[in-house]
Amino acid sequence: MRKIFRIGLSLLIFVVFSPLTRADDAEVQALLHSLTEASLNETADIITQLEEAGGDSMMPLFETLLAGDLYYEKESKQLMLATKNDEGYSGAEVFTGADLGQFERGAVKKIRVNNALRTQLREAIARINLSAESAQQRLHAVQTMLGELDESSAQLIQERIAVEADSDVLAALREAYALYQLKSSADDEQRLAAIAQLTGSLEPDVRVVLTQLLETNGDGEFIESSAPVRAAAATALKKIESKISFYSFLEQLFFGLSLGSVLLLAAIGLAITFGVMGVINMAHGEMMMLGAYTTFAIQEYIMPGAIGYSLLVAIPLAFLVSGSVGVVIERTVIRFLHGRPLETLLATFGISLILQEVVKAIFTPLNRQVITPQWMSGSLEINSVFSITYNRLYILIFALLLFFALQLIMKKTSLGLNVRAVSQNRNMAKAIGIKTDRVDALTFGLGSGIAGIAGVALSQITNVGPNLGQSYIIDSFMVVVFGGVGNLMGTLVGGFTLGVANKFLEPATGAVLAKILILVFIILFIQKRPKGLFPQKGRAAND
C-alpha cells in the first residue's frame, strides 16, 4: 500500500510541478516518458524534440542528464534525480527538487548517455542560455560554445546577433561568428574580415585558431596556403600577445600591491612603537598571531553559524586582545628597559617564545584554517586573462582604510599629538608635562592592537599557526627601516614598494632569491640613506 501511495505521489508531483511553460503538457510528458524506453539513438531525437517543445523549462532535465544523474523508477516510469547511498538511491523530482524518498537499488534504472549525447546536451544548454534573461548567463553561453562551433550553432549565433541588446554579449557573439567563419570558410576575403574582427580578442580559442594558421608541416611548409591570411593572423596574434602582456603586468602589479598591503598591515604597528619608544619588539609577530587566533576562536566557538559576520566581529576583538597583551608587556617588561636596546631585543624575543608556547598549549601546534566568508570568496573576472581575487582586494582596501584612520588619530587627537611629541623629543615632552610613561603604554598597546588587526587579515590568506608571526617580523622591520623609522607615510610607501618589487622579481629569480635581492637592496640603500625614505623630524632624530 505504501509503495502504491509513493508511486501516486511521484506522479502527482510530476504532473503538478513540472514547469512546462512553453509546450503542451501532454506532448512533453509523452516525450519524457519515452526517455525511459529509448535507445541511445532515439534519446538524441527525444532531446531535440524536448528542446523545441519545452525550451528553457528543460534546463534542469538536460543538466541532470549531462551529469549522469537521471534515473527512472522501473514500475512507475517516474524520472528522477537519483543520488546513490548505502541504502540504495535517494530520489528527487528533476524539475522542482521535491524529495521522492528512498529507493532500493533494483527499483531504479539509469538513463544512459554517451559522448555524442553529452555534446548534444552541452549545445542544447548553450542554446537555451543564449536566450536567458541574464546578460552574464548569455555571455557565458557564448564563451562555452567557442570551442565547438558548427553550422547549427553558428546559425543560432547569427540569429541572436540581430536581437541582442547588451553590448558585451553582442561583441562576444560577433567574435564567435567570426571564429566560425575563419575555421569553415574557404573565401579569403571572409577569413580576412574574420581575423580583423578577432584582432584583440583574449579568448583562448581565438589564439588557438590563429596559431594553427601559422603552423608548418614536417617539410617546413605552411599548412595554411594563403599568404595574406597568414600575414593577417600573425599581425592579430602580435596585437593579442601585446594585450596579454599588458594584463599580465596589471596582474603582477595587483599581486605586488596585495603583498604590499599585507606588509603595511604587519609593519604599521611596529612603525609606531619603534618610532616612539625605540623598542625593537621581536614579539610583534606574535601580536599578529594572537589576532589570527582570535579570528579562529570567534568562528569556531562563538559564531560558528554566522561566518559572514564573524570577521567583522573579529576585527575589534583582535585589536582589544592584542592591544591588552601589548600594554601588559610594556608595563611589566619594556618600561624597565628604556635605553637598553640589546636587553629589550632579548626580552621581547623571549616573550615571543612564551606566547608561542601558550598558544600551542591552548590550540595545539597544528595549523588552523579560518573559513573565508562568502562575500570575500571568488574573484572579479576582468577578462579571460585577468582576474582579481576578492579576498586580496578587500585586504588591500582594508589596509588603506586602516592607514588613513591611523593618520587621523595621530594628527587629530590628543594621543596622536602626545605620541608625535614624544617621538620627536622625549625629554622636552616630559618637561612640558606629558606623561611619557602613559604615552609609552598606550603607544605600545595601539601598535600591538593594529598588529592584531593585521592577524585578522592574514587569517584570510594563510593558515593560522603558532609560527605565523615569524614569517612577517623580518619583513616588517625591513619596511619600517626602508620607509623611515616612525614615519607612517614612509611605512606606506615602503610596504607597497617592497611588495611590488618582490612580485616583479619572483618570475625571473624565484621567491627565495627575490627576497635575498630585496634584502641586499635595503642594506645598500641604508648605507646611502641611513634614516630611510622619509627621515624622522625633531631634535631626537639627530641623536
Side-chain angles (χ1 to χ4, degrees), residues 62-183:
F62 291 166
E63 290 177 340
T64 304
L65 186 57
L66 180 61
D69 295 330
L70 188 63
Y71 289 72
Y72 68 92
E73 188 178 26
K74 293 179 180 179
E75 187 169 341
S76 67
K77 303 298 183 182
Q78 167 67 49
L79 291 174
M80 69 180 73
L81 190 162
T83 304
K84 194 173 183 180
N85 54 39
D86 294 337
E87 300 175 1
Y89 290 90
S90 175
E93 212 284 324
V94 176
F95 295 100
T96 66
D99 184 21
L100 297 178
Q102 188 70 25
F103 296 86
E104 297 177 357
R105 296 183 186 275
V108 298
K109 186 175 181 179
K110 183 176 182 178
I111 296 182
R112 295 183 302 118
V113 293
N114 56 17
N115 289 336
L117 282 175
R118 292 188 186 94
T119 300
Q120 182 183 357
L121 286 166
R122 290 191 189 97
E123 292 176 353
I125 291 171
R127 283 192 293 268
I128 293 172
N129 283 331
L130 277 180
S131 303
E133 293 184 6
S134 169
Q136 187 63 35
Q137 190 174 349
R138 298 198 301 274
L139 181 61
H140 179 72
V142 178
Q143 293 169 341
T144 302
M145 297 173 70
L146 286 178
E148 298 177 351
L149 290 169
D150 56 20
E151 187 175 355
S152 61
S153 59
Q155 180 65 31
L156 183 66
I157 289 172
Q158 192 174 25
E159 293 172 358
R160 188 66 202 177
I161 288 174
V163 297
E164 180 59 56
D166 186 88
S167 58
D168 292 335
V169 180
L170 184 60
L173 287 167
R174 286 172 174 164
E175 283 186 4
Y177 190 72
L179 184 62
Y180 169 74
Q181 284 189 314
L182 181 60
K183 293 167 66 176

Side-chain angles (χ1 to χ4, degrees), residues 25 36 122 257 268 436 511 537:
D25 288 0
T36 62
R122 290 191 189 97
L257 293 175
I268 194 170
T436 55
K537 298 178 181 179

Side-chain angles (χ1 to χ4, degrees), residues 240-534:
I240 290 173
E241 293 299 331
S242 176
K243 288 186 68 174
I244 291 175
S245 298
F246 172 72
Y247 283 112
S248 296
F249 170 81
L250 290 183
E251 186 175 52
Q252 288 295 102
L253 180 62
F254 171 73
F255 285 146
L257 293 175
S258 173
L259 176 60
S261 66
V262 172
L263 295 178
L264 173 64
L265 286 172
I268 194 170
L270 187 64
I272 298 173
T273 55
F274 195 15
V276 174
M277 304 171 63
V279 173
I280 303 175
N281 181 18
M282 295 301 294
H284 184 75
E286 277 57 50
M287 300 299 107
M288 291 187 280
M289 175 195 69
L290 291 177
Y293 270 106
T294 301
T295 309
F296 168 75
I298 290 172
Q299 280 195 358
E300 186 74 12
Y301 306 116
I302 301 176
M303 302 177 66
I307 300 300
Y309 300 101
S310 64
L311 203 63
L312 302 178
V313 176
I315 292 173
L317 285 182
F319 179 84
L320 291 175
V321 170
S322 298
S324 300
V325 173
V327 171
V328 171
I329 292 173
E330 199 283 330
R331 289 288 83 187
T332 57
V333 178
I334 303 298
R335 65 178 299 189
F336 302 108
L337 300 174
H338 280 306
R340 298 154 65 184
L342 180 59
E343 286 88 339
T344 304
L345 185 150
L346 293 175
T348 53
F349 179 70
I351 292 171
S352 73
L353 296 178
I354 293 171
L355 289 175
Q356 289 180 41
E357 294 304 317
V358 170
V359 166
K360 289 178 183 179
I362 298 174
F363 295 101
T364 77
L366 300 176
N367 285 341
R368 303 290 186 168
Q369 184 175 6
V370 174
I371 301 172
T372 301
Q374 186 64 34
W375 51 274
M376 286 186 69
S377 303
S379 60
L380 174 63
E381 186 173 336
I382 309 300
N383 52 50
S384 300
V385 297
F386 180 42
S387 61
I388 296 174
T389 54
Y390 284 124
N391 61 343
R392 292 187 175 274
L393 178 62
Y394 282 126
I395 290 174
L396 173 60
I397 296 172
F398 177 70
L400 292 174
L401 290 176
L402 181 63
F403 171 81
F404 289 116
L406 191 58
Q407 283 279 60
L408 288 176
I409 292 173
M410 298 299 289
K411 292 184 177 181
K412 302 295 183 181
T413 66
S414 58
L415 173 62
L417 179 63
N418 292 337
V419 167
R420 285 185 288 133
V422 173
S423 66
Q424 292 179 15
N425 195 317
R426 175 178 291 272
N427 293 329
M428 183 61 71
K430 185 181 293 186
I432 62 175
I434 295 176
K435 298 179 179 179
T436 55
D437 287 347
R438 182 173 178 272
V439 171
D440 286 341
L442 292 177
T443 301
F444 205 88
L446 178 63
S448 300
I450 292 173
I453 295 177
V456 178
L458 289 175
S459 70
Q460 300 303 302
I461 58 176
T462 186
N463 288 328
V464 176
N467 298 320
L468 180 145
Q470 297 299 309
S471 304
Y472 293 94
I473 184 65
I474 302 300
D475 290 335
S476 299
F477 275 107
M478 283 175 23
V479 170
V480 171
V481 173
F482 176 64
V485 175
N487 191 299
L488 293 182
M489 184 57 69
T491 305
L492 175 73
V493 175
F496 283 122
T497 300
L498 296 183
V500 171
N502 193 79
K503 284 301 177 183
F504 275 97
L505 282 173
E506 277 185 6
T509 63
V512 176
L513 186 56
K515 282 187 174 294
I516 294 174
L517 291 175
I518 292 293
L519 181 59
V520 171
F521 164 75
I522 290 179
I523 292 173
L524 295 176
F525 179 82
I526 295 303
Q527 295 295 319
K528 186 70 175 177
R529 287 179 67 99
K531 297 179 182 179
L533 287 172
F534 298 89

